[in-house]
Amino acid sequence: MTTFIDYLLGGVSSGAIIALMALAIVLIWRSTRVVNFAQVGQAMFTTYVALTVRDATGNWIIALLAAIAAGAVLGLVVHWLVIRPVKRVDTSGAIIATFGVLISLQALAGMLWGGDTRGYAPPVSNDGIQLAGRIWPFSWYDVLVIGVTIALVIGLTLLFTRTNIGLAMRASAFNPEVARLSGVRVSRSLAYGWILAGMVGAIAGVLVAPTSQVSPNSFDILLVFAFTAAVIGGLDSLVGAVTFGIGTGLVISLVSGYSDSSNAPVVALVLLALNLLLKPDGVFGHHHSRAV
Amino acid sequence: MLTVSELSVSYGAVRALANVSLTVPPGEVTAVIGANGAGKSTLMRTLAGLVRPAAGSATLDGQPITGRKAEDIVRMGLALVPEGRSTIPDLTVEENLRLGGLWRNRSDRAASQAEVFDLFPILGQRRHLRADTLSGGERQQLAIGRALMAKPRCLLLDEPSLGLAPLIVTQILELVSGLARNSGLAVLLVEQNAVTALRVATTGIVLNLGEIVQTGPAADIASDEQLRHAYLGY
Ligand SMILES: Nc1ncnc2c1ncn2[C@@H]1O[C@H](COP(=O)(O)OP(=O)(O)OP(=O)(O)O)[C@@H](O)[C@H]1O
Ligand SMILES: [Mg+2]
């Protein structure tokens, strides 16, 4: 029983990071109806930016802020330069284009920073906290990760429910025509979606870096988990992305604990397949037909 | 005052509107009636900036609106309630209304919202509910309320009667024509249901296969049996 609880505890913070990445995927799906497979590539790239800034300043927070800024710019650039022109012609082309962006970013990162795996020291201890006479599988760094995730989810919720930009983004996603008839500049709302997703993804990248290391391909596995969580959550739902992001983290931790960590991606794909068979709209997905 | 002159619209080879000219004066309801496929929605969507005209122009109080984007036209004072329920089901009643005047400042929006709740009290009672919990009639009121949140000088209504009980349609249209009389709003109402539309309208316009075949006082059109047989099918 203690082992079971330990495994669960160990999964919470990796689940939080998966949740963030899934959130980024959902933000773009909601606004643009494109699954952005480049999301982890963008996050990898901005994490390299963070690494460079951190080497220069020695400051974790400044590096994080630099990654967020880079994520915003990169999100906008990908949207304007690649997705918008391609999507005007055809949507499935845009999804394929995101793979192109992923591969290009990986190649570019390899050229700029080399292909070697690099470490990313956590700003606070990543060792298990000692409490009540034992060492728990939970570190101060995990506390930080979970804290940042909670703050971000609250911030996004407030953005979407309380601000005009958030309302414009939701309306543009649900019904672009009614949004335009209400005076909303829909193409700008879509761009905000990409910027926001780029920022959220950048945070996820910096947070995951101490556990995954940084190399052009080291975040690929995160894509599998985040995509699984986003799809099971219904792709449209922020709540779904967070819930199943954390859920996926727990499952992975249990699978890795009781068997072998190399089984985790397979289990994720099985969950994804089962979900697509049993509940194609996702658990939190919308079933009503949209107004034309 | 909305002035439309010589407006023509084509969808590829299909000509949906041909040389349509009309005026929509403030303070009253102008009704455009016509059968299925007459081009009524095309007229409305073109005026609102969703469809590009092949030729012709439209002005609102002298300012040209043709060629502008939909999101700019509504800010200039022309708001469309499109065919079907043009509310966003996932948003609450209040959010749907807020959306309608998002670019306006907070106090102007609050004033407009109070006016909408005066006009349609049920929306005030349901303000925190999601739009998809409303009945059809309530949703149509919300759709009109959303358009009114832009504080338009000209309001376009595309078949508000669709799928609603006749009594509810009459109630809603009476409220809208009252609003037009009291506040000087210019209303262009498009309907297949000619009887109801002509009852609240001052002027009636009959559209057939994209062309205007008759314009005149609503009462005259309502009592013109030949016209009814030829174009309205009753
Ligand atoms: N997007 C489109 N593409 C091609 N043809 C269209 C399009 N929209 C409308 N049409 C055609 O244009 C003509 C006018 O259609 P429109 O929708 O304006 O008529 P309507 O009077 O509103 O009809 P209804 O009473 O059914 O709403 C019809 O022949 C229709 O088939
Ligand atoms: Mg129509």
Side-chain angles (χ1 to χ4, degrees), chain B residues 9-12 14-17 34-45 51 83 158-159 162 190-192 207 209-210:
Chain B
V9 177
S10 300
Y11 298 107
V14 182
R15 162 145 298 198
L17 282 184
N36 241 316
K40 306 180 300 291
S41 295
T42 301
L43 172 64
M44 302 297 248
R45 295 171 64 79
V51 174
E83 204 173 58
D158 193 351
E159 270 189 72
L162 208 70
V190 146
E191 268 296 344
Q192 254 188 75
L207 194 66
L209 298 174

Side-chain angles (χ1 to χ4, degrees), chain A residues 160-165 167-172 174-175 177-187 286 288-292, chain B residues 45 48-50 69-72 74-75 80 82 85-91 95 98-104 109 130 132 146:
Chain A
F160 279 112
T161 55
R162 298 288 160 86
T163 70
N164 286 351
I165 287 185
L167 181 58
M169 287 176 68
R170 280 195 294 161
S172 304
F174 289 137
N175 191 332
E177 186 170 294
V178 169
R180 290 186 64 200
L181 288 172
S182 304
V184 172
R185 304 200 187 287
V186 171
S187 57
H286 296 275
H288 62 239
S289 59
R290 299 197 182 291
V292 221
Chain B
R45 295 171 64 79
L50 295 172
K69 292 183 187 152
E71 50 270 41
D72 294 323
V74 65
R75 292 172 191 227
L80 167 66
R85 306 275 172 273
S86 66
T87 53
I88 299 187
D90 313 71
L91 303 182
E95 284 171 336
R98 186 151 69 93
L99 177 67
L102 214 50
W103 75 92
R104 301 173 65 206
R109 229 187 300 139
R130 275 168 59 114
D132 55 5
R146 183 204 42 83

Side-chain angles (χ1 to χ4, degrees), chain A residues 147-232:
Chain A
V148 170
T149 304
I150 291 172
L152 209 56
V153 170
I154 292 174
L156 283 174
T157 307
L158 290 177
L159 176 78
F160 279 112
T161 55
R162 298 288 160 86
T163 70
N164 286 351
I165 287 185
L167 181 58
M169 287 176 68
R170 280 195 294 161
S172 304
F174 289 137
N175 191 332
E177 186 170 294
V178 169
R180 290 186 64 200
L181 288 172
S182 304
V184 172
R185 304 200 187 287
V186 171
S187 57
R188 202 178 292 178
S189 295
L190 302 191
Y192 290 145
W194 282 79
I195 292 173
L196 210 53
M199 293 163 72
V200 172
I203 294 172
V206 169
L207 290 180
V208 80
T211 36
S212 75
Q213 316 287 32
V214 187
S215 79
N217 292 92
S218 62
F219 292 178
D220 289 3
I221 192 65
L222 189 56
L223 173 66
V224 176
F225 297 142
F227 180 68
T228 303
V231 171
I232 297 180

Side-chain angles (χ1 to χ4, degrees), chain B residues 16-36:
Chain B
L17 282 184
N19 294 319
V20 167
S21 299
L22 54 89
T23 59
V24 185
E28 57 186 62
V29 176
T30 303
V32 172
I33 53 183
N36 241 316

Side-chain angles (χ1 to χ4, degrees), chain A residues 233-279:
Chain A
L235 268 179
D236 250 330
S237 164
L238 299 177
V239 179
V242 174
T243 311
F244 287 97
I246 292 172
T248 306
L250 299 181
V251 169
I252 291 165
S253 180
L254 289 174
V255 170
S256 313
Y258 285 116
S259 64
D260 187 285
S261 66
S262 62
N263 291 332
V266 180
V267 170
L269 290 176
V270 169
L271 283 178
L272 184 61
L274 276 179
N275 174 258
L276 290 176
L277 283 174
L278 301 176
K279 225 166 171 328

